[in-house]
Amino acid sequence: MSGRVRLTVDGAPVSVPDGASVAAAIACAGRPFRRSCGGQPRAPLCGMGVCFECRVRIDGVAQQRSCMATAREGMRVQTDA
């Protein structure tokens, strides 16, 4: 891994090391991934694609597991927070 990639999370620019996951980019942006029915911020629990708590919209495609997706240059990520 070398260099950095730039993407946006909920419209805010984020830069992460090449090879980082989308979940890492969201964490760097300081955003919750989604909110519970009661409005509490939620975050990934397992980090390996089993819990589905980290689902986001990536480049317009909903229900993507951010812990399993690698951040790419220019990617647009939208959380449900």
Side-chain angles (χ1 to χ4, degrees), residues 2-55:
S2 64
R4 297 187 71 79
V5 295
R6 295 175 309 240
L7 61 151
T8 61
V9 175
D10 294 332
V14 178
S15 175
V16 293
D18 188 25
S21 70
V22 172
I26 295 168
C28 286
R31 303 279 308 158
F33 290 71
R34 53 192 330 98
R35 297 225 178 249
S36 69
C37 294
Q40 298 298 321
R42 303 289 297 192
L45 298 174
C46 70
M48 59 185 192
V50 176
C51 73
F52 289 80
E53 285 294 322
C54 66
R55 289 173 294 161

